[in-house]
Amino acid sequence: MNKNHVLLLKIVFTLLAFAAGTGCLNRMIEPAKPDEKESRAQQQVLRVLYSNHEAGPEAVIDAMETYSRQTGIRIEVEALPYNNLQEKVFSELAQGKGTYDLIAVDTPWMPKVIEHLEPLSSYIKQSNHPDSIKLDDFIAKVFLDTSVFRPDSPQAEPPSLETVSLDGITSAGFEIWSLPIQSNALTVSYRKDLFESPQYREEFRRLYGRELEIPRTFGEYAQVAKFFTRDTDGDGKTDLYGTTLMGSRHEANFVDFKSFLNSFGGRLFDDDFEPALQSKEGVEALQTYGSWINEYKITPPDVLTYTWDEVSVVFEFGKAAMGMNYHNMRLNPKVGGEVGYFMFPGTMEGGALIRGPHFGSWGLAINRYSRQKEDAYALAEYLTSPQSQMGYLKFNHHVTRKSAYEQAQHITDPSLREYYRVLGDSLRVGVGRPRITNYEQVSDAVQSAVHEYLTGEKTAQDALSDAAAEVRGLMRQAGYHKS
């Protein structure tokens, strides 16, 4: 194909769904037509089903435009809000439809849809672009959690590998089902200007006999948060709180608690998928979580209504000195100040710091019913390649490759550079979601337990024990237990 014929892109936006209030976006990406008869590549259309928000569509669509320009292949992208996307993915695949060639899959969906996806190991072996696939460049924990499953038992934990290798995966009986495109981890945004204030540093040193530093443990974090919870304008009312939490009965609360649970050495399930959250580690994790709200009162009073959205607003408008979320929160310009980032705290065990922040990822998977599987794989390989991932940095995209995080350390913005360092470190120690087909039901049961404790309806032990009994029943219904 003559490259001069594809220097310009013709991009057609179809925003009718937005006008209807659904938040959907259909976008056709196509190269400008050459003067001569269109080639086969120019007649071809790859259809992609993607997220309109959570998985960083701006960066990925930008890369699709480049790919279309280079190959002459037209790409039609349908980007949907999370719930609509999940519903459409499940519906399309369950009906065996090949409408979409490439699909964005959130990790907890994988056990439900894996039978409808194309295994990728053979495509990776036969790749014509080894520099684009480079499995050993992916962050191992991200790749294994997002993409590696055993086809006959998707609940099985992937092999433990320090570096991703195809042989290490397939020799253990596992297969690759997607390529990671975006990953989030729970991190802490903080008011660096407050931490560096000479006045606050002197006051903290006088009160606690140590320097005001970034907290590493939950105890240190609570102490710093208590210090910053105060009345700053002298009207007798607290207007600055030490931290935020996601206390609403919501998925955000489940993964919030799960991060505490992991960091206390607890687990949601044991190796036989028996509930384990009611353990002493689970009780201690929940009591610590609740103490920040009800005992120390270092969170805003309406924290039981917070999800990740409300946390962002509270931090943005300067109402919290520290805040936990899945992106780099920033301050409103009217607030002023400077933002820094650090890793989710943990607990000390045997002289080692144990951290377990929640993380989750999106993968690009090939629809098993697609008639263009090889071309869909080529696009997925390109979109997740080291070169493309480095290009995503300008969009503040949460990349999945080690080389992209190394490249991020050359970003001129020191705050963003720090965030990428913290995000990369967090992904290396993060803990993903359980690999179960009834994830949403289990999450809902745990959310209820946490909420019942936070509102004083039950003790931590009773709330978690009751949740464990409910989860045990759910697992039995889903076929994980025979009796």
Side-chain angles (χ1 to χ4, degrees), residues 59 62 386-395:
D62 181 74
Q387 181 180 5
S388 293
Q389 292 253 323
M390 290 181 192
Y392 295 164
L393 295 174
K394 65 178 177 285
F395 294 94

Side-chain angles (χ1 to χ4, degrees), residues 335-347:
V335 174
E338 183 181 0
V339 181
Y341 307 96
F342 62 87
M343 292 178 69
F344 182 76
T347 59

Side-chain angles (χ1 to χ4, degrees), residues 140-395:
K141 200 151 198 178
V142 169
F143 191 92
L144 295 169
D145 185 77
T146 308
S147 305
V148 178
F149 292 80
R150 185 173 284 159
D152 58 344
S153 52
Q155 72 273 17
E157 289 298 314
S160 179
L161 301 173
E162 291 294 325
T163 303
V164 180
S165 74
L166 186 58
D167 287 343
I169 291 168
T170 56
S171 64
F174 288 79
E175 178 58 79
I176 297 171
W177 299 93
S178 70
L179 295 178
I181 187 72
Q182 194 262 9
S183 198
N184 301 312
L186 186 62
T187 60
V188 183
S189 304
Y190 77 104
R191 291 286 301 275
K192 183 175 284 191
D193 57 308
L194 301 184
F195 273 66
E196 295 180 351
S197 162
Q199 176 186 342
Y200 284 141
R201 293 182 68 83
E202 174 59 30
E203 182 184 347
F204 188 89
R205 189 183 303 114
R206 176 171 48 81
L207 288 173
Y208 300 108
R210 66 181 185 91
E211 295 298 323
L212 176 56
E213 298 174 333
I214 289 174
R216 300 173 70 241
T217 67
F218 289 120
E220 292 172 354
Y221 192 99
Q223 188 179 70
V224 172
K226 182 179 180 180
F227 170 76
F228 278 118
T229 300
R230 59 181 62 209
D231 170 17
T232 64
D233 59 10
D235 67 352
K237 299 178 181 178
T238 301
D239 50 30
L240 176 66
Y241 290 88
T243 189
T244 61
L245 289 172
M246 304 181 204
S248 179
R249 193 182 178 286
H250 185 273
E251 170 68 9
N253 175 249
F254 171 64
V255 293
D256 227 15
F257 166 67
K258 187 174 78 69
S259 297
F260 277 69
L261 177 65
N262 300 333
S263 300
F264 273 92
R267 304 168 64 187
L268 288 169
F269 295 99
D270 65 15
D271 293 339
D272 296 319
F273 282 91
E274 283 289 339
L277 71 164
Q278 74 278 21
S279 65
K280 65 179 182 63
E281 293 86 0
V283 171
E284 188 175 4
L286 183 54
Q287 288 174 336
T288 299
Y289 189 85
S291 70
W292 293 8
I293 298 172
N294 295 320
E295 180 180 348
Y296 297 117
K297 302 188 184 301
I298 53 180
T299 60
D302 56 346
V303 69
L304 295 187
T305 67
Y306 288 7
T307 68
W308 28 66
D309 295 330
E310 289 77 15
V311 164
S312 292
V313 173
V314 167
F315 187 85
E316 177 187 355
F317 287 95
K319 301 301 181 182
M322 299 180 288
M324 303 175 186
N325 216 324
Y326 293 88
H327 64 277
N328 54 323
M329 296 193 292
R330 299 183 180 183
L331 289 169
N332 187 290
K334 294 181 180 179
V335 174
E338 183 181 0
V339 181
Y341 307 96
F342 62 87
M343 292 178 69
F344 182 76
T347 59
M348 297 299 298
E349 183 175 330
L353 180 62
I354 307 300
R355 284 183 166 120
H358 169 73
F359 84 97
S361 306
W362 289 83
L364 290 178
I366 298 174
N367 184 351
R368 176 164 282 180
Y369 312 110
S370 166
R371 296 183 180 180
Q372 304 184 94
K373 296 184 183 70
E374 291 185 0
D375 293 311
Y377 171 77
L379 176 58
E381 183 181 80
Y382 177 84
L383 294 176
T384 59
S385 68
Q387 181 180 5
S388 293
Q389 292 253 323
M390 290 181 192
Y392 295 164
L393 295 174
K394 65 178 177 285
F395 294 94

